[in-house]
Amino acid sequence: LGDIGSLFMNMRKWDKAATYLERRVQVDTAAVAGYINLASCLMQMEQYDKAITYLQKAVELNPNYPPTYINIGFCYSGKKDFREAKKWAEKAIQAIDTAQTRYRLQLADAYKMIGLSYLVEKTDLDNPKKKWEDGATYLEKALQYKEDDEMSHVWLGQAYQNLQKRDLAMKHYKRALKLNPKNQEAQKGV
């Protein structure tokens, strides 16, 4: 069942893959990979709540696998619940702790998710620059682990633009455009 589900995943037939993978986890309730693959299909179909349920089951079975935490964060991002996404990204960072090299891409995604959550949060009226500063800090960390992430550069450019740091903003907008010349947000920023 899992092999058939994987075959349909490779063909990007998410609904069929999900059907077979759901059967697999019903038969083998300890199949961590089955839960994760099923959740990945559901995420592709934007069924985030259902995906979160399966990912949380995977966390229960294997709490030391950081990509599961990242995927839960992506689900919450898809639901526009950035505060909850940030919590799961922080959990991923804690799970990665000693395996930074192995999970560097997941670290990049976690820091990126936290940075974005700061940028979209409401401004603190007592310190309106704080959200941009905090967001920039995390986006810079994300780029340490994955320097060719187009959207991290765009969002970092926006953060620096809002902090009146024009040279840094331009640097990151131009880097995003080098990665994708059609990025409209980077074009607008420049």
Side-chain angles (χ1 to χ4, degrees), residues 133 157 159-171:
E133 291 167 345
Y160 284 134
Q161 184 175 354
N162 282 292
L163 290 168
Q164 309 301 316
K165 296 182 177 183
R166 182 184 168 106
D167 291 342
L168 285 172
M170 287 294 286
K171 170 187 164 189

Side-chain angles (χ1 to χ4, degrees), residues 1-13 17 21:
L1 293 173
D3 291 339
I4 297 169
S6 296
L7 177 67
F8 281 119
M9 282 181 77
N10 290 336
M11 296 168 38
R12 300 190 183 286
K13 293 186 178 184
L21 290 165

Side-chain angles (χ1 to χ4, degrees), residues 44-71:
Q44 291 296 322
M45 297 185 296
E46 298 182 5
Q47 294 180 19
Y48 300 117
D49 289 325
K50 199 171 178 182
I52 289 168
T53 301
Y54 288 114
L55 289 166
Q56 287 176 330
K57 180 64 177 172
V59 167
E60 288 173 23
L61 294 169
N62 184 357
N64 298 320
Y65 189 61
T68 309
Y69 296 99
I70 293 295
N71 283 329

Side-chain angles (χ1 to χ4, degrees), residues 41-123:
C41 293
L42 295 169
M43 290 168 65
Q44 291 296 322
M45 297 185 296
E46 298 182 5
Q47 294 180 19
Y48 300 117
D49 289 325
K50 199 171 178 182
I52 289 168
T53 301
Y54 288 114
L55 289 166
Q56 287 176 330
K57 180 64 177 172
V59 167
E60 288 173 23
L61 294 169
N62 184 357
N64 298 320
Y65 189 61
T68 309
Y69 296 99
I70 293 295
N71 283 329
I72 295 173
F74 282 137
C75 286
Y76 281 109
S77 289
K79 293 174 55 165
K80 307 289 187 234
D81 185 345
F82 296 105
R83 192 173 301 260
E84 196 65 25
K86 177 182 166 188
K87 287 179 189 176
W88 285 95
E90 290 169 341
K91 288 180 183 185
I93 291 168
Q94 290 172 353
I96 291 169
D97 193 28
T98 60
Q100 288 185 10
T101 303
R102 181 174 178 195
Y103 293 111
R104 70 179 183 76
L105 297 179
Q106 288 82 7
L107 265 175
D109 286 340
Y111 285 127
K112 176 180 168 181
M113 202 176 306
I114 294 169
L116 176 60
S117 73
Y118 279 110
L119 299 185
V120 299
E121 286 180 359
K122 293 184 179 181
T123 301

